[in-house]
Amino acid sequence: MAVNLETYQSIHKDLSGEKVTLVAVSKTKPVEDIKELYAAGQRDFGENYVQELLDKEAKLPKDIHWHFIGHLQSNKVKYIAPFVYLIHGVDSYKLLVEINKQAAKNNRIIPCLLQVHIAREETKFGFDETELEEALEHLEHEPLKNIQIKGLMGMASFTDDKETVRKEFGYLHSIFTKHAAKRSFEILSMGMSGDYDIAVAEGSNMVRIGSLLFGTRPAKM
Ligand SMILES: *Cc1c(COP(=O)(O)O)cnc(C)c1O
């Protein structure tokens, strides 16, 4: 359960040079590990599970930017709405409506990324390109005042075939650039421990890295 500080420093240095934001994915890891990276200067942390995030948020410094990167259920939005910094995986219009409602209750505008399905696996969540366009048009006609769509998020196929991964990230980047100017998108969140270098080469400006920094996790919770 040791944090890999040397790896952190070197990844952080490389990414800052490329103006890429590093989100340290701390899911399943203890608060002590987060404190260690915090002491090294890290402020952006990503979590996948609402209850775990709530427990950690209560125990850790208030200037941490908490990124919710998991699959968010509508009935749990209310718990994280008071403090969440960025919600990465928004994959339905219904969820946007709920985030907007809870943001309004908290007098906030919550920044969100729309998740786009780019992988071959059926199991990964997200809009396809057509659904994304429909959602964006819908928002244009009926704006939700308490959310701000900051950009897109995606996950590549789980494969060793780098060419497949590169194509999938390239595809998401092309969708991002297509909408970026008109919708004032700023963030393209793609890349994890195994593929962040490919993601950055394909235009990512926010990566979500867990196991490289915190060590491997148990197979599945
Ligand atoms: C767990 C997770 C990550 C980090 O994965 P690593 O392979 O450990 O870097 C990134 N993004 C999402 C959406 C995740 O669920």
Side-chain angles (χ1 to χ4, degrees), residues 25 27 48 69-70 153 155 191-194 208-212 217:
V25 177
K27 63 179 176 217
N48 287 52
I69 66 169
M153 179 268 207
M155 288 165 91
M192 319 183 4
S193 289
R208 311 173 308 270
I209 297 183
S211 40
L212 270 184
R217 293 175 300 271

Side-chain angles (χ1 to χ4, degrees), residues 61-205:
K62 295 298 162 202
D63 64 341
I64 287 181
H65 297 161
W66 290 108
H67 296 246
F68 193 83
I69 66 169
H71 182 65
L72 184 57
Q73 289 169 290
S74 293
N75 61 349
K76 297 202 171 152
V77 174
K78 55 178 176 288
Y79 302 114
I80 62 170
F83 65 88
V84 69
Y85 181 76
L86 178 65
I87 300 178
H88 288 233
V90 181
D91 61 357
S92 73
Y93 192 79
K94 175 176 167 253
L95 183 56
L96 279 176
V97 170
E98 179 62 16
I99 296 170
N100 184 63
K101 181 177 150 195
Q102 298 301 333
K105 279 192 187 165
N106 286 278
N107 275 314
R108 296 191 62 200
I109 292 172
I110 297 185
C112 298
L113 304 179
L114 299 182
Q115 182 167 0
V116 183
H117 185 278
I118 55 171
R120 290 183 297 200
E121 290 108 36
E122 278 298 322
T123 51
K124 288 189 177 146
F125 297 100
F127 294 98
D128 68 23
E129 195 175 352
T130 312
E131 292 164 345
L132 176 76
E133 277 168 15
E134 282 166 5
L136 288 170
E137 264 170 41
H138 198 141
L139 283 171
E140 208 164 278
H141 295 118
E142 280 171 55
L144 299 172
K145 287 201 195 100
N146 292 78
I147 56 165
Q148 187 185 15
I149 309 291
K150 285 270 199 182
L152 304 177
M153 179 268 207
M155 288 165 91
S157 295
F158 187 71
T159 170
D160 289 333
D161 177 10
K162 288 188 194 289
E163 191 49 26
T164 296
V165 172
R166 196 190 60 73
K167 277 194 192 133
E168 290 170 355
F169 284 148
Y171 172 59
L172 182 53
H173 182 251
S174 74
I175 300 175
F176 178 79
T177 35
K178 190 166 139 193
H179 294 283
K182 190 175 173 201
R183 324 271 180 190
S184 58
F185 282 177
E186 293 162 20
I187 301 173
L188 178 56
S189 166
M190 57 183 198
M192 319 183 4
S193 289
D195 57 19
Y196 79 93
D197 48 343
I198 307 175
V200 170
E202 291 300 321
S204 167
N205 61 18

